[in-house]
């Protein structure tokens, strides 16, 4: 059974940093792209970043470029996102999600339970 | 503001049919990229409901169906049940972003 478990969320001041982790099991982690998707309180879903199976390609939504870094450790079956220069508007539940590519795009077939990041002074 | 446009809310009585629209642009749905749908029950994690426009993952009832045409897509739910009350999101891909785009979500209320 596929499991994704996020951790590392919490309260941080504006301008601060936080590193989220996602530990996965139940599938061959090194064979899949992975993503982070976030959801601000009471708001919709927003894709944040993607990373290729071997970490050689990484893509970000414009609002986090230069501040967030997605990474992975295939030996540890773990996905990460380092979040720097955090802003109030980064407050959200952050989900890690497994990516499945089709011939015409991608979708997220498995999701973690999410971890809450609150940016506030 | 979300890239894909969905109605904020829809409603229907038990047993009825509802449809949720998802409108994109020439850079996402109109460019030929697939549309996918997610169901988020209250307080829960999003769950894949429809993938690649019209395909249901194992375990999703056939009351749920999807379609895509031009720059739009639609999710239809027939035989509405109380447990269908949830938020529904469409998602596609934007090649210029090398990333995914979501709709703003539609809250389904079962009357």
């Amino acid at each position: 059974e596929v499991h994704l478990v996020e951790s590392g969320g919490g309260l941080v001041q504006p301008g601060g940093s936080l590193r989220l982790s996602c530990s996965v099991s139940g599938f061959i982690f090194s064979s899949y792209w992975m993503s982070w998707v976030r959801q601000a309180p009471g708001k919709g879903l927003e894709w944040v970043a993607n990373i290729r199976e071997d970490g050689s390609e990484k893509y970000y939504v414009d609002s986090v470029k230069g501040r967030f870094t997605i990474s992975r450790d295939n030996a540890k079956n773990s996905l990460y996102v380092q979040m720097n220069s955090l802003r109030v508007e980064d407050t959200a539940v952050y989900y890690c999600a497994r990516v499945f590519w089709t011939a015409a795009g991608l979708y997220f077939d498995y999701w973690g339970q999410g971890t809450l990041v609150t940016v506030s002074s | 503001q979300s890239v894909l446009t969905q109605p904020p809310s829809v409603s229907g009585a038990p047993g009825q049919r509802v449809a949720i629209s998802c409108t994109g642009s020439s850079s996402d749905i109109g460019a030929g990229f697939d549309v996918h749908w997610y169901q988020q029950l209250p307080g829960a994690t999003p769950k894949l409901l429809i993938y690649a426009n019209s395909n249901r993952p194992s375990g999703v009832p056939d009351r749920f169906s999807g379609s895509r045409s031009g720059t739009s897509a639609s999710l239809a739910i027939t035989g509405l049940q109380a447990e269908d009350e949830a938020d529904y999101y469409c998602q596609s891909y934007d090649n210029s972003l090398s990333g995914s785009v979501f709709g703003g979500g539609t809250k389904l209320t079962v009357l």
Side-chain angles (χ1 to χ4, degrees):
Chain A
E1 190 177 356
V2 172
H3 283 290
L4 299 88
V5 180
E6 302 92 337
S7 60
L11 175 64
V12 61
Q13 292 189 336
S17 297
L18 212 54
R19 188 197 196 207
L20 306 183
S21 301
C22 173
S23 177
V24 314
S25 61
F27 65 98
I28 302 174
F29 181 64
S30 59
S31 296
Y32 288 87
W33 284 64
M34 295 293 294
S35 285
W36 288 98
V37 177
R38 67 184 177 183
Q39 185 171 32
K43 302 296 185 182
L45 300 171
E46 180 183 38
W47 167 73
V48 174
N50 283 345
I51 185 168
R52 194 184 174 99
E53 297 98 326
D54 61 0
S56 61
E57 294 181 47
K58 303 174 185 181
Y59 301 98
Y60 303 91
V61 67
D62 284 349
S63 60
V64 308
K65 281 180 183 175
R67 301 188 300 121
F68 288 16
T69 303
I70 189 172
S71 63
R72 62 192 298 160
D73 185 335
N74 287 344
K76 295 183 177 180
N77 286 346
S78 293
L79 175 73
Y80 309 100
V81 61
Q82 176 67 42
M83 305 185 295
N84 298 331
S85 303
L86 281 162
R87 305 168 180 169
V88 171
E89 54 265 34
D90 294 319
T91 295
V93 173
Y94 284 74
Y95 297 100
C96 70
R98 192 177 82 168
V99 172
F100 194 96
W101 282 94
T102 69
L106 63 85
Y107 59 89
F108 309 107
D109 59 352
Y110 288 95
W111 299 62
Q113 86 289 348
T115 187
L116 176 63
V117 172
T118 303
V119 185
S120 174
S121 54
Chain B
Q1 187 166 350
S2 301
V3 176
L4 305 180
T5 301
Q6 298 179 233
S9 64
V10 297
S11 62
Q16 286 190 333
R17 176 188 185 277
V18 295
I20 299 173
S21 61
C22 174
T23 302
S25 68
S26 57
S27 62
D28 38 68
I29 302 174
F33 291 108
D34 287 336
V35 177
H36 319 284
W37 293 88
Y38 303 87
Q39 177 193 58
Q40 187 173 33
L41 295 170
T45 293
K47 168 194 161 185
L48 180 66
L49 191 66
I50 297 286
Y51 66 93
N53 307 312
S54 59
N55 297 279
R56 287 185 308 276
S58 174
V60 173
D62 59 6
R63 302 186 296 105
F64 295 90
S65 63
S67 63
R68 187 195 81 184
S69 178
T71 59
S72 296
S74 183
L75 171 70
I77 310 171
T78 58
L80 266 181
Q81 299 180 5
E83 57 261 36
D84 298 333
E85 197 160 277
D87 294 323
Y88 293 84
Y89 295 91
C90 60
Q91 175 249 319
S92 188
Y93 187 80
D94 187 322
N95 207 36
S96 65
L97 304 176
S98 294
S100 293
V101 288
F102 283 96
T106 299
K107 182 175 181 60
L108 168 63
T109 300
V110 180
L111 302 171

